[in-house]
Amino acid sequence: QLILSMSKPLNNGSIRLVNLTGQTILKRENQNGSMITLDISDQASGIYYLEISEGVNVVRSKVVKK
């Protein structure tokens, strides 16, 4: 599981997890709150990119699954 804890709660935001080849492997729309849990247990170990967007604001970060 991947637990996202944000200082500012999402208000109708979207979350996308992308693998190194650019393929979207998980997408969640209409997300609300400051704590969101994503189940990535079926994904292989490796590096992924997480994109959280709300309106025009976008935050991207690297995620390493062991």
Side-chain angles (χ1 to χ4, degrees), residues 21-66:
T21 63
Q23 179 184 17
T24 299
I25 57 168
L26 186 143
K27 188 171 187 179
R28 293 253 185 101
E29 301 284 341
N30 304 317
Q31 296 296 297
N32 296 295
S34 58
M35 179 98 46
I36 297 171
T37 302
L38 305 175
D39 182 9
I40 60 169
S41 60
D42 58 340
Q43 301 303 321
S45 297
I47 298 173
Y48 297 90
Y49 293 98
L50 180 68
E51 181 179 282
I52 302 170
S53 58
E54 180 183 46
V56 297
N57 300 318
V58 179
V59 174
R60 292 178 184 91
S61 59
K62 184 167 71 169
V63 174
V64 178
K65 181 180 179 201
K66 294 185 178 185

Side-chain angles (χ1 to χ4, degrees), residues 12-24:
N12 208 23
S14 66
I15 298 171
R16 193 167 71 114
L17 192 65
V18 179
N19 64 17
L20 287 178
T21 63
Q23 179 184 17
T24 299

